[in-house]
Amino acid sequence: MSDDFELDTDDLQRRMDGAMSALRTEFASLRTGRASASMLEPVMVDAYGQPTPINQVGTVNVPEPRMVTVNVWDKGLVNKVEKAIRESGLGINPQLNGTIIMLPIPELNEERRRELTKVAAQYAESARVAVRNVRRDGMDQVKKAKADGLSEDDQKFWESEVQDLTDTYIKKVDQALETKQEEIMQV
C-alpha cells in the first residue's frame, strides 16, 4: 500500500492556477489611468428581475484611451445600467447619449493611486491565502498516506514537492502584484 501512493500534483497545480486566474481577473477590474472594458466586469445590472453582468445587456467598447462606452441593447435598461455604474464604486460619472452610456476615465491623483495599490495588495494576499489553502490540502493528503503506511522518506519527498509548488505560486502572485502596482503608479 505505502509504495503506490502518488500525490495528485496536477490537481494541486490546477487549483493554484485557479487562484492566479482569480487574481488576474480582480487586477483587471482595478482602474488604472487607462480605459479597459474589463473594468466593468464586476458591475451587475438589475435587469429583468435579476443581477446581470453589464456585458449581457449591452456592448462595451473602448473607443479611445480615456473613454469606455456601453451601447445598451434594451432602451428600458439604460437608466438601470447608468445607476449600476454610478453605484459600483469605480469613481466614474456616466454620461447618457441616447442608448449609449459614455464613461470618461478621469486622470488618477496620487492619493487614489496609493489607495488602488493597497487594494491590489489585498487581492494578492487573498490569492496567497488560496494558494496556502491548497498547500494545506496537499500536506493533509501526505499525512493521511503516512498514517496508512507511507515511508518517512516518501513523506518528506511529497511534502517538499507540495512546498516547491507553493513557493512557485507565491512568487507568481508577488510578481503579478509588483507589475500591477507599477502600472497603477505610472503617471
Side-chain angles (χ1 to χ4, degrees), residues 31-36 39 65-66 105 183 186:
R31 188 165 71 84
T32 58
R34 289 186 293 278
S36 160
M39 62 195 267
R66 294 209 174 277
I105 311 299
E183 183 183 318
Q186 199 173 63

Side-chain angles (χ1 to χ4, degrees), residues 13-23 169:
Q13 190 168 357
R14 182 184 51 74
R15 290 169 55 199
M16 288 182 186
D17 277 336
M20 282 300 298
S21 173
L23 178 66
Y169 276 87

Side-chain angles (χ1 to χ4, degrees), residues 125-145:
E125 185 54 35
S126 297
R128 284 189 206 101
V129 168
V131 168
R132 288 185 198 117
N133 286 341
V134 175
R135 173 189 175 273
R136 186 193 61 224
D137 292 348
M139 292 297 192
D140 288 350
Q141 290 175 29
V142 172
K143 283 184 184 129
K144 186 176 181 300

Side-chain angles (χ1 to χ4, degrees), residues 86-149:
R86 210 178 285 282
E87 294 175 352
S88 68
L90 287 172
I92 300 174
N93 194 16
Q95 299 169 354
L96 283 177
N97 184 0
T99 59
I100 297 176
I101 299 172
M102 295 183 296
L103 308 168
I105 311 299
E107 187 72 44
L108 292 176
N109 62 18
E110 186 71 19
E111 182 182 337
R112 182 69 177 137
R113 287 178 195 278
R114 293 203 188 289
E115 285 175 25
L116 287 174
T117 58
K118 288 177 186 166
V119 172
Q122 289 171 347
Y123 288 160
E125 185 54 35
S126 297
R128 284 189 206 101
V129 168
V131 168
R132 288 185 198 117
N133 286 341
V134 175
R135 173 189 175 273
R136 186 193 61 224
D137 292 348
M139 292 297 192
D140 288 350
Q141 290 175 29
V142 172
K143 283 184 184 129
K144 186 176 181 300
K146 170 86 166 114
D148 292 344

